[in-house]
Amino acid sequence: MAITTHVLDLTYGKPGSHIKIDLYQITKNGKKYLKTVVTNRDGRVDGALLTREEVTTGEYEFLFHIGEYFRVQGIEQQEPYFLEFVPVRFGVQNLESHYHIPLLISPWGYQVYRGS
């Protein structure tokens, strides 16, 4: 069991490299910050964001910093960007399952799904 992700840039048809991702656990008192990671050249995070030992059942949230990524790519937009951040909230029910949550992005939209 682990939580993993990767990012694909649909604008250029390539991995979303060097994208900052914050990970939170959602609690009854709000969000609890867990860590920040950055995608590698392949749009993936080196290793799991959380391992089997670190995961509990409940809700989590990724916060993808895609505005910063598209500025580095030279995408011309006026401030504020249409999508500066993409929050993805998901639930973990089965501690025996792998949770892979890919994100497909463009400056104007995104799609997320549970992968394998």
Side-chain angles (χ1 to χ4, degrees):
M1 188 301 153
I3 295 176
T4 58
T5 189
H6 75 271
V7 182
L8 297 174
D9 179 346
L10 297 176
T11 308
Y12 296 108
K14 66 177 189 170
S17 61
H18 308 294
I19 295 175
K20 186 166 68 169
I21 306 166
D22 299 325
L23 176 61
Y24 298 90
Q25 185 172 27
I26 307 305
T27 69
K28 62 182 176 183
N29 298 322
K31 290 184 188 181
K32 176 185 173 189
Y33 171 80
L34 299 177
K35 65 172 65 174
T36 297
V37 296
V38 177
T39 59
N40 61 23
R41 288 183 24 200
D42 292 325
R44 298 183 179 275
V45 175
D46 296 326
L49 279 90
L50 292 178
T51 63
R52 179 184 181 123
E53 295 76 33
E54 297 170 311
V55 178
T56 60
T57 58
E59 286 186 282
Y60 293 85
E61 183 177 285
F62 289 137
L63 184 64
F64 294 88
H65 296 247
I66 68 163
E68 182 178 314
Y69 166 78
F70 282 118
R71 277 190 284 284
V72 170
Q73 301 306 307
I75 299 289
E76 295 288 329
Q77 289 191 56
Q78 292 183 350
E79 297 287 340
Y81 267 35
F82 181 69
L83 293 172
E84 185 69 36
F85 302 99
V86 173
V88 176
R89 191 172 286 192
F90 59 96
V92 171
Q93 303 86 18
N94 183 347
L95 295 179
E96 299 303 316
S97 292
H98 181 91
Y99 287 81
H100 183 65
I101 299 97
L103 179 69
L104 311 176
I105 58 170
S106 83
W108 308 110
Y110 62 91
Q111 182 175 7
V112 65
Y113 61 96
R114 182 170 177 192
S116 59

